[in-house]
Each structure stands twice: as C-alpha cells, then as structure tokens.
Amino acid sequence: MIEKTIKNNRGGIFGGSLPEGHRLRFEAKLEAAMQHNELRQNNVRRLIIWTAAAAACLALAIILNINGKGNDDEEPFAEVHNYYSMLLEEETEATIQALDNMDDTDKSEVWQDIETLLGEPIPFSEKGEQNTSLMIAAYSSKIEALQQIKNNIKINN
C-alpha cells in the first residue's frame, strides 16, 4: 500500500517543494519523539538504579542481620575463635615442619618472622558481629602469611 502510494505520487514526493510549514511540523514531531525516547530511557535508568539500591539494602539487611532474628542462629564467638585458633595451629605446625627441612643459614631469620607473626594479638571480644569479623580477618591473615612462608621454603629448597 505504501509502495503504491509512492508510485502514484512520485512527482509530488520527489519533485516539487514541500507544503508551507511541513519542515517545522516534521521537526516538532521529531523533537517530541526524541524527548519521549529520552524520557523512556531515563525511566529505565531510574528503574535500574532503584532496583540496584533496593537489592543493596536487602543484602545489607541480611548481612547485618537487621531482619529481627538476633544472634540466636549464629555460632557463639568462642566457638569461632576456637575453630580459627585450631586452623592457625595446624598451619603453624606445617610451616615449622617445612622450616626443619630448610638450610641453617636462613632458618633463624625465618623463625623470627614466624614468631613475630604469631606474637601479634588477635582481637577477642564477645560483643558484636564486627569484632567476630575482625577476629576472623586477623586469623585468616596469619594463616595466609604462614602458607606463603611455607610455600617460599618449599620453593627455595
């Protein structure tokens, strides 16, 4: 149907000049369409931002346990401390075994590094989840450092 209209009005479409005000009406329609499209894109952006913000708030609520459950479901602080203390002990023993196989020249220096690492205090307080997180981070840091020392000893021997 469009093709037929174009064929029948070829002279008027491609030939002569456009009617008065045609260009202004076209520009106004184009501007309105572009504003509508921009408004729609902004609405989509807002929807994405609000959805992300809602998801972040929900995740934060779950992480901080704001949902009213309290600390009944969590392991007691002392149990978490004992668990990480056990992991640190095991890693210390494995590192010391690797140290026994090391040459005597650098052994005392590495042993001092291990003693310094183990001598750093671990935050221990039975109040608040943040203190539990700090304690876990401190233990994890020490365990990772011991693993790195052990790996370096194995590589150099």
Side-chain angles (χ1 to χ4, degrees):
M1 187 167 142
I2 294 174
E3 184 179 344
K4 192 175 189 181
T5 304
I6 292 173
K7 282 183 184 178
N8 292 339
N9 297 315
R10 183 177 292 265
I13 294 173
F14 297 113
S17 63
L18 296 172
E20 186 71 28
H22 176 72
R23 171 171 263 163
L24 293 175
R25 286 190 305 275
F26 176 75
E27 287 176 354
K29 285 182 181 180
L30 182 62
E31 182 69 27
M34 289 173 60
Q35 286 176 352
H36 177 71
N37 190 25
E38 186 176 324
L39 181 64
R40 208 172 79 219
Q41 287 176 348
N42 285 338
N43 287 340
V44 169
R45 286 185 193 119
R46 284 186 192 119
L47 178 64
I48 290 171
I49 289 169
W50 283 105
T51 304
C57 289
L58 180 62
L60 186 61
I62 291 171
I63 289 171
L64 295 177
N65 203 15
I66 295 176
N67 57 5
K69 288 184 180 178
N71 293 333
D72 298 337
D73 298 335
E74 295 178 15
E75 290 185 70
F77 184 88
E79 288 182 29
V80 175
H81 177 73
N82 291 338
Y83 172 74
Y84 278 95
S85 178
M86 179 193 66
L87 289 178
L88 181 64
E89 250 181 69
E90 290 174 358
E91 194 58 43
T92 302
E93 289 174 13
T95 305
I96 290 173
Q97 286 177 356
L99 186 65
D100 288 341
N101 297 330
M102 190 175 174
D103 296 333
D104 289 334
T105 54
D106 297 323
K107 188 184 275 190
S108 63
E109 189 175 315
V110 174
W111 180 248
Q112 285 178 342
D113 290 342
I114 293 171
E115 285 180 332
T116 302
L117 177 70
L118 296 175
E120 293 175 2
I122 299 283
F124 186 83
S125 174
E126 295 187 17
K127 296 180 183 173
E129 187 175 320
Q130 286 182 334
N131 291 333
T132 304
S133 299
L134 289 173
M135 179 200 55
I136 291 171
Y139 271 117
S140 297
S141 173
K142 286 185 178 199
I143 291 168
E144 289 174 14
L146 286 171
Q147 289 172 342
Q148 185 64 41
I149 290 171
K150 181 177 65 178
N151 290 338
N152 288 341
I153 291 172
K154 288 180 180 179
I155 290 171
N156 292 326
N157 283 336

